[in-house]
């Protein structure tokens, strides 16, 4: 079976490991590797995996070689030499000077650059926490920004812009801390677009807030004498992250600083407005404010800010971004002070690489020099002189000059001991780039012992993750391990897809772009800026460099892109995309605006109002209110006062779109009449998210799976209105009708059921890549399904609670634990123990450890072989590493036993209390 072997790709580290086991002398690869022109073992690019070569004039059809098809333990190759064509840079730039003096020059004469200066009123503890993180002085721009009118005392809002890596976060962090420390008991929210950023920020803020007291000693004493028992962390700053499905129930009382994704922040704010606890909110930071323009999620930022501006209480709004061309529009909207800087603590030099030649595209030095406007004629016609040249490679594998450039430049950076990030346009390209680069890297046996040991240890850590290496992509645990290894210099080269640039914070000396495409499309200027912005970070590298490697047909576009302006941002609220309806339902449901007048007032504060006339908005409100009434989500009285219906409230509480809410409601009402409880399919169907995953149903697969359903599953089909005869017809090539509203509704049920069957497999521990293959779905979609289902399930539980369907809510709640565990019911108890999830839980179960009590009473040493057995990816490395692995496993076993003991004691206590 090609499948499994093919899907278990290897990382460059693994390759290094293999080479270490089977040292091979450097030799020519001629005759060993399949030729590029041959089709054996080569795969056609998938829709999203076009290589840059696809546009080359010399290749009409180009295939890239999938990393998984490369021969095992390949022989070593060497990187091409890169030759300076001019002895020095023609001009002396800030960049060239910084090569010599590696630190950012800081004015030590300005005492206000000292964080302990009375201007900032920070406690000694905060100042020393910052110092521990390497921040002793603030940059002059940070000082100037902070000293803007009314900012330090919280009276004014702020919108500011600074280049990536320019130190934006510190300004927001300080203002936020000042708010909650200045008024004990108040709250701040920090809103970020991605879960990975939320996690990272929580870690950072906890370090900043470590041991910082909010309450003074007398207040602490009062609290101790009060009727409530004090929390252990009472009086210190609690930083809590909100994302995914897990924390949906966390409330306002659980944090001082909440770090949230957009959706979570909006849900928290809605709840707090409704129950009145919003009065404690003092500060909201909107990071990556340019996201307001994002088609899918941007409108949530607008809703958050608009609601807060309607509250009539002082909430300091702080918006920041690296890419806001129309800063003033947003500042006017938020009534904010603005600040803009081009300051880069580490200068960045941009390069264009074409046909083995490296051109200086302009030092981005922030000193007012215009980057040189390269033109494609100058570059191809020899008018512009390259500064360096990459020798053509002697290896036929590196005949493609773009690949050769990427590999040689990555090799050069790593040889200097610096980190390099390579961005490629698809997963396939990413894997093959990593493979090729690893083949020119030094042999493991020539590495310094400490680096070698650290890499082995990293491999051990990766292998001992309970999830195993998932070929469908990195899990967050794997990503954390790799990111911290990169941060510590254990790994020097990271290859990532372009889309990762926005969600990671991995600074690099050099950023290399293997062409400027994501799939088949060129990337946009904002994404290019994100990627280039990863180059150079204060304290890590003295300078930053970016290299855009491209081929001739792309030259014009690439040059245009390099100098392109970032598009202006604007509101994403409209009737057509149904965001206005959602905005309206929300404010009515949380009773922020219930009269016609207050609704008008709400919209007058929106960003939309900055681009649309009040008449147009007035009309949009009219039609949306009518629509929401027709949908049964709101009601009005004679005086045009609006109230939410129970369904309207449930939809807002469970954070779903109104249209989806109506669909879900219909389905649940049917389910209440006849809920199939003697099997899992019905509950799984209810937990299947309704948003569009780009599901295209393979009807033959649907039919096969349908035929495998048991009697209870077939009953579910019947209740949902799915006709087996229709499925058979569709499997024979008939097409699904989707013209009338009713037909669309039915098609939606069929698609959702197709996803529900995938969810069933995921819950039954089938790996994501296998699910994707079985259902003929892109892996990304299956992954998205598995990642969103928990949050959606939590939303469904809330929905049922708000609809007053208690028993249904309880049944769903029980099952949602299982989704979290990703394992079958019998493993549920075990999966409460750390490290014992999914596959590991199964292995423990099969080895007789079937309950927490069994684990609590086990000898940790006995668990080691079972943990070993649970390692899925057969990456056993013989010899010295076995010991290391065993040590790690024993440490894990100890944690498992003591956690199981703790859980067991709690259980016992609860049982005794019941008696
Ligand atoms: N005054 C300072 N002195 C030393 N280091 C600083 C200072 N201010 C910020 N830094 C450090 O610079 C790095 C980049 O800062 P930060 O993450 O705030 O940049 P940013 O502008 O928010 O970038 P991005 O656009 O990627 O979010 C961080 O490691 C931060 O700790």
């Amino acid at each position: 079976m090609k499948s499994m072997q093919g899907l278990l790709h290897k990382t460059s580290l693994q390759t290094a490991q293999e080479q270490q086991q089977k040292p091979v002398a450097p030799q020519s690869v001629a005759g060993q590797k399949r030729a590029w022109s041959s089709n054996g073992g080569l795969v056609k690019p998938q829709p999203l995996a076009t290589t840059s070569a696809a546009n080359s004039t010399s290749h009409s059809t180009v295939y890239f070689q999938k990393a998984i098809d490369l021969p095992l333990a390949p022989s070593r190759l060497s990187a091409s030499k890169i030759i300076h064509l001019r002895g020095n840079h023609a001009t002396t730039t800030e960049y060239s000077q910084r090569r010599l003096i590696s630190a950012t020059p800081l004015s030590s004469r300005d005492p206000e650059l000292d964080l302990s200066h009375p201007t900032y009123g920070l406690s000694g503890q905060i100042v020393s926490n910052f110092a521990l993180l390497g921040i002793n002085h603030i940059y002059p721009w940070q000082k100037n920004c902070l000293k803007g009118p009314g900012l330090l005392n919280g009276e004014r809002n702020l919108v500011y812009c600074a280049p990536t890596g320019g130190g934006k976060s510190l300004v927001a962090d300080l203002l936020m801390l000042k708010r909650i420390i200045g008024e004990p008991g108040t709250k701040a929210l920090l809103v970020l677009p991605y879960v990975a950023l939320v996690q990272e920020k929580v870690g950072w803020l906890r370090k900043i807030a470590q041991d910082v007291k909010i309450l003074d000693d007398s207040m602490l004493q009062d609290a101790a004498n009060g009727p409530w028992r004090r929390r252990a962390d009472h009086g210190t700053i609690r930083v809590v992250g909100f994302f995914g499905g897990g924390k949906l129930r966390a409330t306002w009382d659980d944090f001082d600083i909440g770090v949230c994704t957009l959706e979570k922040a909006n849900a928290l704010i809605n709840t707090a407005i409704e129950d009145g606890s919003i009065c404690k909110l003092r500060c909201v930071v909107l990071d990556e404010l340019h996201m307001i323009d994002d088609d899918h999620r941007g409108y949530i930022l607008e809703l958050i800010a608009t609601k807060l501006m309607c509250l009539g209480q002082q909430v300091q709004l702080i918006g920041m971004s690296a890419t806001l061309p129309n800063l003033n529009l947003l500042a006017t909207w938020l009534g904010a002070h603005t600040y803009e800087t081009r300051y880069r603590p580490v200068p960045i030099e941009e390069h264009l690489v074409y046909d083995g030649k490296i051109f200086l595209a302009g030092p981005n030095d922030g000193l007012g020099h215009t980057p040189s406007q390269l033109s494609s004629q100058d570059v191809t016609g020899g008018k512009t002189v390259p500064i360096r040249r990459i020798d053509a490679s002697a290896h036929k594998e590196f005949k493609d000059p773009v690949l050769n450039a990427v590999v040689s430049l990555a090799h050069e950076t790593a040889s200097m001991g610096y980190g390099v990030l390579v961005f490629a346009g698809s997963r396939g390209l990413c894997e093959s780039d990593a493979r090729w680069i690893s083949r020119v890297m030094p042999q493991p046996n020539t590495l310094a012992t400490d680096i070698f040991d650290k890499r082995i240890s990293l491999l051990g850590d990766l292998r001992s993750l309970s999830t195993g290496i998932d070929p469908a992509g990195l899990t967050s645990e794997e990503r954390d391990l790799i990111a911290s290894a990169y941060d510590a210099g254990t790994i020097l080269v990271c290859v990532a897809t372009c889309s990762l640039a926005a969600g990671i914070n991995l600074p690099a000396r050099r950023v290399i772009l293997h062409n400027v495409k994501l799939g088949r499309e060129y990337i946009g200027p904002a994404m290019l800026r994100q990627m280039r912005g990863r180059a150079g970070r204060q304290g890590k590298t003295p300078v930053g460099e970016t290299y855009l490697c491209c081929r001739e047909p792309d030259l014009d576009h690439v040059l245009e892109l390099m100098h392109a302006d970032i598009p202006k941002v604007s509101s994403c609220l409209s009737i057509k995309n149904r965001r206005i309806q959602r905005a309206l339902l929300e404010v009515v449901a949380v009773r922020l605006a219930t009269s016609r007048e207050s609704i008008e007032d709400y919209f007058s504060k929106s960003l939309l109002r900055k681009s649309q006339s009040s008449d147009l908005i007035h009309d949009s409100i009219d039609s949306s209110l009518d629509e929401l009434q027709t949908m049964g989500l709101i009601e009005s009285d004679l005086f045009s006062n609006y109230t939410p219906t129970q369904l309207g409230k449930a939809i807002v509480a469970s954070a779903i779109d109104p249209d989806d809410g109506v669909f879900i409601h219909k389905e649940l009402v049917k389910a209440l009449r006849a809920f199939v409880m003697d099997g899992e399919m019905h509950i799984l169907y209810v937990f299947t998210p309704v948003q569009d995953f780009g599901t295209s149903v393979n009807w033959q697969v649907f039919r096969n799976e349908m035929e495998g359903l048991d009697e209870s599953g077939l009953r579910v089909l019947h209740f949902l209105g799915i006709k087996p005869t229709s499925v058979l017809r569709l499997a024979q090539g008939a097409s699904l009708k989707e013209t009338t509203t009713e037909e669309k509704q039915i098609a939606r049920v069929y698609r959702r059921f197709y996803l529900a069957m995938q969810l069933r497999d995921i819950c039954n521990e089938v790996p994501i890549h296998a699910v994707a293959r079985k259902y003929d779905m892109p892996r990304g979609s299956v992954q998205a399904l598995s990642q969103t289902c928990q949050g959606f399930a939590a939303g469904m539980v809330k929905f049922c609670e708000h609809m007053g369907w208690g028993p249904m809510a309880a049944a769903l709640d029980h099952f949602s634990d299982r989704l979290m565990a990703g394992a079958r019911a019998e493993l549920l108890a075990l999966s409460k123990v750390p490290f014992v999830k999914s596959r590991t839980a199964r292995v423990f179960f099969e080895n007789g450890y079937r309950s927490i009590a069994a684990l609590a009473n086990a000898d940790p040493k006995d668990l080691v072989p079972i943990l070993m057995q649970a390692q899925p990816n057969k990456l056993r490395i013989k010899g010295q590493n076995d010991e290391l692995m065993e040590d790690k496993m024993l440490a894990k076993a100890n944690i498992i036993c003591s956690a199981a003991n703790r859980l067991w004691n709690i259980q016992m206590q609860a049982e005794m209390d019941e008696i």
Side-chain angles (χ1 to χ4, degrees):
M1 232 169 60
K2 172 184 180 262
S3 50
M4 286 312 280
Q5 199 188 15
L7 284 157
L8 293 171
H9 73 284
K10 294 199 182 91
T11 63
S12 51
L13 276 173
Q14 290 169 280
T15 311
Q17 197 58 55
E18 283 168 8
Q19 286 168 351
Q20 195 263 331
Q21 287 173 66
K22 301 183 198 170
V24 269
Q27 53 178 273
S28 160
V29 289
Q32 288 186 22
K33 257 196 49 55
R34 281 160 283 186
W36 277 80
S37 55
S38 131
N39 206 1
L42 300 182
V43 287
K44 256 197 171 158
Q46 290 158 2
L48 273 177
T50 320
T51 57
S52 46
N55 285 342
S56 157
T57 44
S58 55
H59 302 269
S60 52
T61 312
V62 178
Y63 299 95
F64 70 76
Q65 187 156 17
K66 245 178 141 183
I68 48 175
D69 292 326
L70 291 171
L72 277 178
S75 55
R76 305 204 51 72
L77 301 170
S78 52
S80 292
K81 273 208 191 101
I82 306 180
I83 295 155
H84 279 276
L85 297 179
R86 298 184 208 162
N88 282 309
H89 288 297
T91 49
T92 307
T93 62
E94 189 192 357
Y95 178 90
S96 56
Q97 289 166 16
R98 295 261 190 104
R99 278 183 186 280
L100 304 172
I101 42 158
S102 64
T104 301
L106 268 173
S107 160
S108 51
R109 269 167 285 154
D110 182 351
E112 276 196 329
L113 295 181
D114 200 327
L115 271 176
S116 58
H117 194 275
T119 302
Y120 312 109
L122 299 173
S123 68
Q125 187 64 52
I126 295 188
V127 175
S128 69
N129 287 351
F130 270 111
L132 280 175
L133 293 163
I135 300 177
N136 295 300
H137 296 96
I138 57 175
Y139 301 140
W141 84 262
Q142 291 171 329
K143 176 199 85 171
N144 293 335
C145 180
L146 282 165
K147 287 185 70 185
L151 297 181
L152 284 164
N153 62 11
E155 281 170 6
R156 272 202 83 178
N157 297 341
L158 168 69
V159 176
Y160 62 113
C161 213
T164 313
K168 284 184 290 299
S169 317
L170 181 130
V171 171
D173 293 350
L174 281 188
L175 292 177
M176 193 168 63
L177 282 167
K178 277 192 75 70
R179 294 290 75 75
I180 56 162
I181 294 172
E183 217 183 319
T186 56
K187 317 272 169 194
L189 286 179
L190 197 155
V191 188
L192 288 156
Y194 306 108
V195 174
L197 296 180
V198 169
Q199 288 168 326
E200 188 186 308
K201 191 75 196 183
V202 168
W204 172 262
L205 284 173
R206 284 194 178 145
K207 287 184 200 146
I208 303 281
Q210 175 98 35
D211 298 329
V212 175
K213 290 255 162 40
I214 305 191
L215 304 179
D216 63 31
D217 289 343
S218 63
M219 291 166 97
L220 276 174
Q221 198 52 47
D222 291 349
N225 297 335
W228 311 109
R229 216 181 325 157
R230 257 201 286 157
R231 287 190 341 260
D233 59 353
H234 193 81
T236 57
I237 299 176
R238 289 160 302 162
V239 181
V240 174
F242 295 84
F243 48 84
K247 278 268 173 196
L248 205 88
R249 279 155 199 279
T251 70
W252 224 230
D253 292 329
D254 297 324
F255 66 89
D256 299 299
I257 298 179
V259 188
C260 333
T261 53
L262 307 179
E263 292 76 9
K264 284 287 163 199
N266 195 37
L268 266 173
I269 288 172
N270 280 343
T271 317
I273 292 178
E274 214 187 342
D275 67 19
S277 51
I278 196 78
C279 62
K280 292 192 175 159
L281 187 65
R282 286 295 172 274
C283 178
V284 174
V285 178
L286 306 171
D287 203 344
E288 316 284 354
L289 189 56
H290 57 272
M291 278 280 293
I292 205 151
D293 205 38
D294 180 272
D295 274 352
H296 300 288
R297 306 166 68 212
Y299 76 99
I300 301 177
L301 274 176
E302 183 170 348
L303 298 191
I304 292 176
T306 311
K307 276 183 284 197
L308 295 175
M309 287 193 288
C310 284
L311 282 177
Q313 75 185 54
Q314 182 64 41
V315 179
Q316 187 173 37
L317 294 174
I318 302 169
M320 59 173 142
S321 170
T323 50
L324 262 185
N326 48 343
L327 184 71
N328 284 334
L329 174 80
L330 293 175
T332 326
W333 170 47
L334 298 174
H337 172 69
T338 56
Y339 194 90
E340 191 170 11
T341 179
R342 301 220 166 153
Y343 176 77
R344 277 186 179 280
V346 176
I348 297 189
E349 198 159 64
E350 322 264 10
H351 303 88
L352 175 79
V353 185
Y354 155 73
D355 199 21
K357 300 179 202 99
I358 301 176
F359 298 91
L360 197 57
N364 206 333
D365 60 11
L367 295 175
H369 296 149
T370 319
S372 69
Q373 297 282 333
L374 285 177
S375 81
S376 59
Q377 287 89 337
D378 291 352
V379 169
T380 50
K383 218 163 136 198
T384 305
V385 188
I387 54 162
R388 298 206 291 159
R389 180 170 51 77
I390 303 167
D391 270 352
S393 176
H395 305 295
K396 67 175 183 216
E397 286 85 348
F398 296 149
K399 230 160 75 189
D400 168 16
V402 177
L403 176 65
N404 193 40
V406 170
V407 171
S408 311
L409 287 164
H411 175 262
E412 186 189 52
T413 332
S415 320
M416 293 188 293
Y418 288 113
V420 50
L421 270 178
V422 179
F423 287 111
S426 70
R427 231 184 100 79
L429 200 54
C430 236
E431 289 184 3
S432 65
D433 277 356
R435 278 253 160 177
W436 290 124
I437 295 168
S438 74
R439 287 179 64 181
V440 300
M441 287 300 165
Q443 298 262 30
N445 55 11
T446 62
L447 291 173
T449 331
D450 62 327
I451 289 286
F452 182 80
D453 290 348
K454 280 184 192 161
R455 288 188 186 177
I456 295 295
S457 163
L458 172 64
L459 273 177
D461 289 342
L462 284 168
R463 284 153 60 213
S464 61
L465 286 176
S466 57
T467 44
I469 289 180
D470 184 351
L474 294 182
T475 61
S476 55
E477 291 93 338
E478 285 161 0
R479 206 156 80 157
D480 286 352
L481 280 174
I482 289 172
S484 53
Y486 175 83
D487 203 41
T490 307
I491 305 177
L492 290 174
V493 187
C494 254
V495 190
T497 49
C498 303
S499 47
L500 195 75
I504 53 159
N505 195 8
L506 297 178
R509 160 75 179 242
R510 190 173 275 181
V511 167
I512 301 170
L513 273 79
H514 189 158
N515 219 327
V516 279
K517 288 187 173 177
L518 186 57
R520 286 178 194 279
E521 305 292 327
Y522 285 109
I523 56 169
M527 186 179 267
L528 178 64
R529 191 180 283 202
Q530 285 276 10
M531 287 192 276
R532 290 152 113 192
R534 301 292 137 212
R537 269 293 156 109
Q538 175 71 321
K540 296 267 177 196
T541 62
V543 289
E545 303 161 313
T546 68
Y547 289 83
L548 266 77
C549 307
C550 68
R551 52 189 91 238
E552 192 171 351
D554 302 328
L555 254 183
D556 276 327
H557 192 98
V558 169
L559 284 166
E560 214 173 283
L561 192 63
M562 281 177 100
H563 305 297
D565 286 331
I566 306 287
K568 291 186 173 161
V569 297
S570 59
S571 168
C572 283
L573 291 182
S574 82
I575 290 255
K576 214 163 135 219
N577 65 16
R578 312 191 60 75
R579 304 299 188 211
I580 292 193
Q581 290 88 326
R582 180 165 182 170
L584 257 175
L585 177 61
E586 243 190 39
V587 289
V588 172
V590 302
R591 297 177 206 265
L592 182 65
T594 48
S595 66
R596 183 62 212 227
E597 200 188 350
S598 56
I599 290 174
E600 297 271 352
D601 184 51
Y602 167 78
F603 276 97
S604 74
K605 295 198 163 68
S606 66
L607 180 62
L608 181 71
R609 180 64 190 86
K610 298 282 164 228
S611 58
Q612 263 193 22
S613 71
S614 58
D615 284 351
L616 258 176
I617 294 185
H618 182 89
D619 293 348
S620 305
I621 296 175
D622 267 349
S623 61
S624 304
L625 283 171
D626 285 348
E627 213 179 311
L628 290 173
Q629 289 188 74
T630 317
M631 290 162 85
L633 305 183
I634 58 171
E635 286 162 347
S636 79
D637 62 13
L638 288 174
F639 309 102
S640 289
N641 284 319
Y642 296 89
T643 43
T645 60
Q646 195 175 21
L647 175 57
K649 282 181 86 169
I651 286 175
V652 172
S654 51
I656 42 179
D657 269 338
D659 293 322
D660 291 342
V662 172
F663 170 72
I664 287 168
H665 179 246
K666 263 195 195 140
E667 301 250 282
L668 281 174
V669 168
K670 264 198 276 174
L672 278 176
R673 270 186 253 130
F675 200 53
V676 181
M677 292 289 273
D678 57 351
E680 298 176 343
M681 268 328 287
H682 211 163
I683 279 197
L684 280 163
Y685 180 82
V686 174
F687 277 171
T688 304
V690 286
Q691 62 258 46
D692 185 13
F693 289 97
T695 315
S696 121
V697 179
N698 179 329
W699 293 106
Q700 272 125 19
V701 177
F702 196 127
R703 180 197 54 203
N704 295 345
E705 288 304 300
M706 182 182 78
E707 283 167 355
L709 287 175
D710 58 11
E711 196 272 323
S712 138
L714 289 172
R715 233 175 319 127
V716 178
L717 277 189
H718 174 72
F719 285 132
L720 295 175
I722 297 177
K723 296 199 181 89
T725 46
S726 304
V727 176
L728 292 179
R729 260 203 318 277
L730 288 162
Q732 278 158 9
S735 53
L736 191 64
K737 287 205 196 96
E738 277 188 83
T739 326
T740 64
T741 319
E742 204 186 328
E743 282 168 356
K744 282 185 189 149
Q745 195 89 346
I746 294 172
R748 210 170 175 189
V749 175
Y750 278 65
R751 276 200 203 96
R752 195 175 179 204
F753 194 80
Y754 194 59
L755 291 174
M757 295 192 287
Q758 296 168 34
L759 197 56
R760 173 199 59 191
D761 288 3
I762 294 169
C763 276
N764 284 307
E765 305 157 50
V766 181
I768 281 173
H769 62 275
V771 177
R773 200 175 50 233
K774 178 170 163 194
Y775 291 90
D776 200 8
M777 292 274 291
R779 276 182 301 199
S781 307
V782 182
Q783 202 163 28
L785 171 68
S786 84
Q787 281 162 0
T788 46
C789 67
Q790 278 172 30
F792 186 79
M796 284 304 91
V797 176
K798 271 209 159 173
F799 187 93
C800 292
E801 281 167 0
H802 275 81
M803 292 304 296
W805 301 335
M808 176 74 119
L812 296 182
D813 202 24
H814 168 78
F815 198 82
S816 77
D817 284 349
R818 260 194 63 192
L819 271 189
M820 205 87 86
R824 287 199 210 138
E826 68 233 35
L827 305 181
L828 194 57
L830 288 183
S831 62
K832 290 202 165 74
V833 182
F835 295 125
V836 188
K837 299 278 170 301
S838 187
R839 186 191 152 85
T840 317
R842 161 78 41 218
V843 178
F844 271 97
F845 194 84
E846 277 158 11
N847 278 281
Y849 291 95
R850 298 187 173 204
S851 63
I852 289 179
L855 281 180
N857 292 316
D859 181 342
K861 279 202 206 86
D862 296 340
L863 301 187
V864 172
I866 300 168
L867 280 170
M868 288 285 210
Q869 192 187 332
Q871 301 314 302
N873 42 336
K874 307 276 183 289
L875 275 177
R876 303 292 318 276
I877 303 166
K878 294 270 172 282
Q880 55 168 311
N881 308 317
D882 269 357
E883 248 173 60
L884 219 135
M885 180 79 172
E886 264 172 44
D887 283 353
K888 280 186 193 298
M889 292 298 164
L890 186 58
K892 225 178 205 188
N894 277 317
I895 297 175
I896 290 174
C897 287
S898 61
N901 259 303
R902 219 177 36 245
L903 286 166
W904 192 42
N905 280 333
I906 295 171
Q907 269 179 17
M908 298 294 290
Q909 190 60 47
E911 275 166 30
M912 284 172 54
D913 287 350
E914 271 169 29
I915 298 166

